[in-house]
């Protein structure tokens, strides 16, 4: 295309397409139907009701908070000298879980890491683990 030619949109592109006929490489015809997926309505036209126990289609597992807590205890326990001095307090607020880690002040640097890299990595891992269980999680580190 020469540099002085400009592209202008085709009016046909703006039209809503319901059905389109296409040909395969070997010349066979087939139809392509464009379907509009509307997440708010069922096939019968009624809106879906949100279920409080589900997030993105996932059902909350009964032991999800305990497994997240033990996962955090495992991570922090491998960072500090004395894992018995660490306290982990989970709190659930509906679909949200807030996990608070209390460590001795002299161990705080090991848990947070340089420029907070270890803390950021732990938060990322906890967020991923929680999402697999249908929860949203946050992680705080205190002394």
């Amino acid at each position: 295309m020469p540099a002085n030619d400009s592209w202008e949109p085709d009016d046909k592109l703006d039209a809503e397409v319901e059905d389109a006929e296409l040909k395969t490489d070997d010349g066979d015809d087939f139809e392509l139907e464009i379907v509009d997926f509307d997440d708010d309505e069922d096939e019968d036209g009624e809106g879906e009701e949100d279920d409080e126990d589900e997030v993105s289609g996932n059902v909350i597992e009964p032991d999800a908070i305990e497994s997240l807590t033990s996962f955090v205890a495992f991570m922090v326990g491998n960072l500090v000298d004395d894992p018995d001095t660490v306290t982990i307090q989970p709190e659930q607020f509906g679909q949200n879980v807030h996990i608070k880690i209390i460590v001795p002040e002299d161990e705080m640097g090991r848990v947070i890491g340089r420029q907070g890299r270890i803390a950021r990595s732990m938060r990322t891992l906890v967020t991923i683990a929680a999402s697999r269980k249908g929860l949203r999680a946050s992680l705080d580190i205190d002394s």
Side-chain angles (χ1 to χ4, degrees):
M1 189 184 262
N4 60 357
D5 288 341
S6 63
W7 179 84
E8 293 183 22
D10 189 3
D11 291 335
K12 293 179 183 177
L13 294 176
D14 295 333
E16 184 175 330
V17 177
E18 291 298 323
D19 293 316
E21 288 189 25
L22 301 174
K23 292 191 181 276
T24 60
D25 290 336
D26 55 350
D28 294 335
D29 289 337
F30 68 93
E31 283 191 29
L32 172 69
E33 183 177 344
I34 299 174
V35 179
D36 181 29
F37 290 100
D38 189 4
D39 293 338
D40 295 338
E41 293 186 7
D42 290 336
E43 289 180 10
D44 59 359
E46 295 179 8
E48 293 181 12
E49 294 182 17
D50 292 334
D51 189 1
E52 292 183 17
D53 292 341
E54 293 187 14
V55 173
S56 303
N58 297 333
V59 178
I60 298 174
E61 297 176 13
D63 63 340
I65 296 173
E66 291 84 18
S67 65
L68 284 175
T69 304
S70 64
F71 178 56
V72 171
F74 172 77
M75 288 190 295
V76 175
N78 284 301
L79 293 172
V80 297
D81 285 334
D82 188 11
D84 296 330
T85 61
V86 176
T87 305
I88 299 172
Q89 300 172 343
E91 296 178 42
Q92 183 175 4
F93 304 103
Q95 299 294 322
N96 299 323
V97 177
H98 179 77
I99 300 174
K100 186 174 184 179
I101 303 170
I102 302 173
V103 297
E105 195 140 336
D106 58 328
E107 301 278 3
M108 189 69 101
R110 291 180 182 192
V111 176
I112 294 176
R114 291 186 182 177
Q115 297 181 354
R117 288 185 181 133
I118 293 175
R120 189 177 328 119
S121 298
M122 284 194 305
R123 286 186 179 107
T124 301
L125 290 171
V126 167
T127 301
I128 292 168
S131 69
R132 289 184 175 185
K133 302 205 180 286
L135 297 169
R136 299 182 79 191
S138 61
L139 188 67
D140 280 342
I141 304 167
D142 290 331
S143 62

